[in-house]
Amino acid sequence: MIVACPACQARFQYDESRFGQARTKRFKCPKCVHVFEVVNPGLEPASPNGDRPLPMAAPPPLPQDEPTPPAGTALITARRDRDSMLVSAGLQGTGMPPGLRFSLAFLSGPQASTVHVLETPKTIIGREEGEVITRDPETSRRHALVEIHRDGTVWLSDQESTNGTLVNGERIEGPVQLASHQEFTCGNSTFMLLIRNTDEFSLH
């Protein structure tokens, strides 16, 4: 079977026979370390009279303003693609996902060698305003916005700054998704996004 990570949509093969009689298995994505659960596809509930198993009911549609499905809901690849599309379109609500810790490390600039923990879904980076203060004269007063979505993805957007926000050396024009340990630059200040999994579960 194919298992898809709900956070970064990375896919990998998994032998479903390894479920055994377990109803669910917990996974940790090897790419983004997001933790999620998958329902055993071979386990079907018995009918009330015990004659034959009943087909498993399809999961209900995911509302746009609700968080990702709770543990025990089947993680279907199509649903993950749909969630990714909603986030890209700005229709998915934001929120701090459980089990993950987000930080910004200053690699260069006046605040170099310091780390700022992101504790809210939206963080403004600026010279004098916002949650992350750079004290960098090349950074605008309100330079960039970091948004953490409920699915664990992190998005960076420029706030009409004078010198722009750079990812991979290129000035961004719209929201850009960031991966853990990815770098970006605001003025003379370079940051690295750090995402740490606070759970202790490893990939089965």
Side-chain angles (χ1 to χ4, degrees), residues 144-196:
L145 171 66
V146 176
E147 292 186 87
I148 302 172
H149 288 251
R150 289 178 181 175
D151 62 359
T153 59
V154 181
W155 297 81
L156 173 71
S157 57
D158 186 72
Q159 300 297 288
E160 299 182 352
S161 64
T162 301
N163 295 321
T165 301
L166 281 65
V167 176
N168 298 326
E170 297 184 359
R171 187 166 182 163
I172 64 175
E173 299 297 334
V176 173
Q177 185 175 355
L178 298 176
S180 183
H181 294 86
Q182 188 167 5
E183 300 178 14
F184 63 93
T185 301
C186 301
N188 287 329
S189 298
T190 299
F191 303 86
M192 176 183 287
L193 173 67
L194 303 174
I195 304 176
R196 184 169 66 88

Side-chain angles (χ1 to χ4, degrees), residues 8-163:
C8 68
Q9 285 75 55
R11 303 179 184 181
F12 51 90
Q13 291 278 356
Y14 185 75
D15 183 1
E16 62 184 75
S17 65
R18 296 178 63 186
F19 276 93
Q21 296 301 313
R23 184 171 183 80
T24 62
K25 282 286 186 179
R26 180 162 288 193
F27 293 84
K28 182 171 74 174
C29 178
K31 182 177 179 181
C32 70
V33 304
H34 179 66
V35 176
F36 58 99
E37 287 192 350
V38 176
V39 171
N40 185 347
L43 190 61
E44 297 182 331
S47 63
N49 58 15
D51 292 338
R52 64 178 185 275
L54 295 173
M56 294 184 67
L62 180 65
Q64 293 180 359
D65 58 350
E66 291 295 324
T68 51
T73 301
L75 300 179
I76 303 174
T77 301
R79 286 285 292 281
R80 302 284 69 77
D81 294 341
R82 176 180 180 274
D83 291 346
S84 178
M85 179 184 67
L86 290 176
V87 171
S88 300
L91 300 177
Q92 182 91 331
T94 58
M96 298 299 285
L100 296 174
R101 183 180 179 87
F102 303 84
S103 304
L104 286 180
F106 284 79
L107 302 182
S108 65
Q111 304 279 41
S113 301
T114 63
V115 177
H116 184 93
V117 177
L118 306 182
E119 298 179 342
T120 58
K122 293 185 179 182
T123 299
I124 288 289
I125 299 172
R127 182 180 70 248
E128 300 172 358
E129 296 182 7
E131 290 72 35
V132 177
I133 305 300
T134 65
R135 306 192 188 283
D136 177 359
E138 297 301 315
T139 301
S140 295
R141 183 180 296 271
R142 292 172 64 88
H143 195 105
L145 171 66
V146 176
E147 292 186 87
I148 302 172
H149 288 251
R150 289 178 181 175
D151 62 359
T153 59
V154 181
W155 297 81
L156 173 71
S157 57
D158 186 72
Q159 300 297 288
E160 299 182 352
S161 64
T162 301
N163 295 321

